[in-house]
Amino acid sequence: MIEFVLEAMVDAVMMVDAEGRITLTNSGATHLSGYTREELCGLAISRLLVDESSGMRTVVRRRIEDGDVLRREESWLVSKKGERIPISITGSPVIDDRGTLQGIVLVARDVREMRQLLAEKEAEIRRRRALEDELRTAKSQIESQLDQTRTQLLLAERRATLGTLAGGVGHELRNIAQVQIAAVDELAAAISAGEDATSFARRILPELERVGDHIAEHGERLMQLARPGPDHVEPLDLNGVVRDVAAMLKLAGKLGRLAVQLALPDKPVTVTVNRTRIEQILVNLITNAVDAIGHEGRITVEVSPSVDERRIICSVRDTGAGIPESELDQIFEPFFTTKGDAGTGLGLTVVRDIVLSYGGRLDVRSVPGEGTTFTFDLPA
Ligand SMILES: Nc1ncnc2c1ncn2[C@@H]1O[C@H](COP(=O)(O)OP(=O)(O)O)[C@@H](O)[C@H]1O
Ligand SMILES: [Mg+2]
């Protein structure tokens, strides 16, 4: 009866007596080992099983004597031809009525196929890991290139702002120079007409002096714009910066026929920032307002301290086209522009970066068809 059960099993089954000799096997065992049933019978199990690492033989003695069922996933069977076949093995004790160990039933399973599968899977995992590593490296390279590009673009954006302002300063310089030239012409005319040049000169000298100061100031400003230098911060009156930027944009022809209305407090409002950075914010917000208005409309720049006077709030308001609600989230993204080739999509990205870097906030409110207000604040 028991033989039928044994034959029905695909695994190799071997009964071993207390001396470690095989007493009973099935065809699974003959298949796996290459020995005939006759050869197996009486063979010392130690010839068949090698399990140096775990000491199967020791375990056979020790653990199984204690009545344990033993299970090992990694063991070896040495076939008749001397081939080492990986197996998983289970051993259970055969104990008689008096509790004496009569032998062990060993069930061994050929795990070559499973190992092969496992090895293939592991190789696949290694391949994937290598691939992931490659992807990670490529990604970080791309990211650092993007970073570089971003830095370059931001620099280009800054240069464009500075160029606009420099253009305005240049125009202002020319206007001032024209005042000077006119005064000098008048003086020359008075002299050649034999008029009292001295009293005329005395009258226009203070004006010429003022003009000279003005020219020196603007020359200085041009040099600053040409070489912005490191971002050093200094206490500035925001009112003054707003006035300057509005005037320079006008002179640089960036406002078209529009005028920027200023709503500034009487007292100076001091913020400790880098001048060029604040100019960059204002230039970007005001030129966006100009673009949104087209021909007719109003741009208002308002400055006011917060109620607790700890922050300075500045808003740029226009009566332009407004921003559709669906675009409100996107306008701060780099390269988002609705102006086609005329836009860079960097203006608001830059504005937000600068405001955040000073611990400020930037807010937008817009009603399509009515206009838009950008508001930022800075620590006072
Ligand atoms: N005041 C505004 N009114 C209406 N739309 C605006 C205003 N400011 C910005 N936008 C929208 O946000 C987009 C992004 O602005 P910006 O980052 O300055 O890039 P750019 O001006 O180069 O397009 C603009 O293309 C425009 O669609
Ligand atoms: Mg812009």
Side-chain angles (χ1 to χ4, degrees):
M1 177 65 184
I2 179 98
E3 278 82 359
F4 288 113
V5 177
L6 294 184
E7 282 311 309
M9 293 177 68
V10 187
D11 294 336
V13 182
M14 292 166 287
M15 197 113 109
V16 177
D17 66 17
E19 272 76 53
R21 296 199 174 274
I22 298 171
T23 55
L24 190 67
T25 59
N26 69 349
S27 42
T30 58
H31 269 128
L32 188 62
S33 67
Y35 287 107
T36 62
R37 203 175 284 255
E38 291 70 35
E39 286 169 327
L40 280 177
C41 264
L43 194 70
I45 190 68
S46 54
R47 287 269 304 278
L48 214 55
L49 297 181
V50 276
D51 193 4
E52 301 93 345
S53 59
S54 71
M56 181 67 188
R57 279 165 283 175
T58 322
V59 176
V60 166
R61 247 178 264 123
R62 238 199 267 122
R63 298 253 315 268
I64 297 188
E65 269 171 9
D66 293 343
D68 277 350
V69 173
L70 173 95
R71 210 184 147 70
R72 295 214 35 90
E73 294 302 337
E74 283 184 42
S75 205
W76 301 92
L77 183 143
V78 181
S79 75
K80 187 177 176 185
K81 283 194 213 143
E83 188 191 357
R84 281 164 65 99
I85 301 167
I87 52 168
S88 74
I89 191 159
T90 318
S92 4
V94 180
I95 295 167
D96 67 13
D97 298 344
R98 278 167 296 160
T100 321
L101 179 75
Q102 293 297 310
I104 312 150
V105 179
L106 295 170
V107 180
R109 175 170 295 176
D110 185 352
V111 294
R112 277 176 293 194
E113 208 173 306
M114 214 169 70
R115 290 256 173 103
Q116 180 65 26
L117 275 174
L118 219 65
E120 277 166 20
K121 275 271 168 292
E122 273 167 8
E124 173 70 18
I125 289 171
R126 272 198 299 278
R127 248 199 319 276
R128 290 216 180 141
R129 291 233 171 95
L131 218 66
E132 274 168 19
D133 279 353
E134 249 173 68
L135 275 176
R136 246 196 301 280
T137 317
K139 187 168 165 245
S140 81
Q141 270 170 2
I142 291 172
E143 271 169 0
S144 89
Q145 276 170 3
L146 267 176
D147 244 23
Q148 257 180 26
T149 313
R150 188 179 148 91
T151 312
Q152 280 166 1
L153 280 169
L154 294 184
L155 204 66
E157 208 287 331
R158 193 176 185 192
R159 291 215 183 96
T161 304
L162 297 176
T164 301
L165 291 174
V169 177
H171 274 84
E172 176 76 349
L173 269 175
R174 201 173 56 192
N175 290 349
I176 301 166
Q178 267 157 7
V179 174
Q180 190 179 29
I181 290 164
V184 172
D185 278 355
E186 249 181 276
L187 180 59
I191 289 170
S192 54
E195 289 172 15
D196 180 6
T198 317
S199 74
F200 184 79
R202 208 171 274 136
R203 196 152 43 78
I204 64 164
L205 261 180
E207 194 177 340
L208 281 182
E209 208 173 309
R210 235 190 358 262
V211 165
D213 284 349
H214 231 93
I215 289 177
E217 212 176 278
H218 281 75
E220 179 74 20
R221 189 77 197 106
L222 265 188
M223 274 158 64
Q224 268 178 26
L225 289 173
R227 262 182 287 110
D231 277 359
H232 76 277
V233 296
E234 56 186 333
L236 290 172
D237 173 23
L238 188 58
N239 291 339
V241 181
V242 169
R243 264 190 219 105
D244 276 0
V245 168
M248 292 311 127
L249 284 174
K250 179 92 204 157
L251 286 165
K254 298 284 178 188
L255 300 183
R257 291 192 3 252
L258 298 171
V260 176
Q261 294 177 1
L262 304 181
L264 307 176
D266 303 329
K267 289 187 299 187
V269 279
T270 309
V271 283
T272 304
V273 289
N274 177 271
R275 185 181 176 107
T276 315
R277 293 300 186 185
I278 298 307
E279 288 172 339
Q280 219 177 342
I281 293 178
L282 292 166
V283 167
N284 272 309
L285 293 181
I286 295 172
T287 46
N288 276 348
V290 173
D291 292 343
I293 287 176
H295 288 301
E296 211 144 323
R298 242 187 357 266
I299 302 172
T300 312
V301 181
E302 186 177 341
V303 173
S304 62
S306 65
V307 179
D308 61 5
E309 305 218 332
R310 291 169 68 173
R311 306 187 78 78
I312 306 299
I313 303 165
C314 177
S315 65
V316 178
R317 195 163 62 239
D318 67 61
T319 56
I323 303 169
E325 179 146 8
S326 59
E327 283 173 12
L328 276 179
D329 282 345
Q330 295 168 276
I331 56 173
F332 297 103
E333 280 170 20
F335 309 120
F336 177 82
T337 180
T338 53
K339 299 171 192 171
D341 285 346
T344 62
L346 284 174
L348 289 177
T349 310
V350 164
V351 170
R352 193 189 48 185
D353 281 0
I354 298 172
V355 170
L356 293 182
S357 77
Y358 287 127
R361 276 165 311 203
L362 175 67
D363 234 21
V364 56
R365 254 157 246 255
S366 188
V367 180
E370 287 184 23
T372 306
T373 306
F374 282 91
T375 307
F376 64 92
D377 68 356
L378 297 169

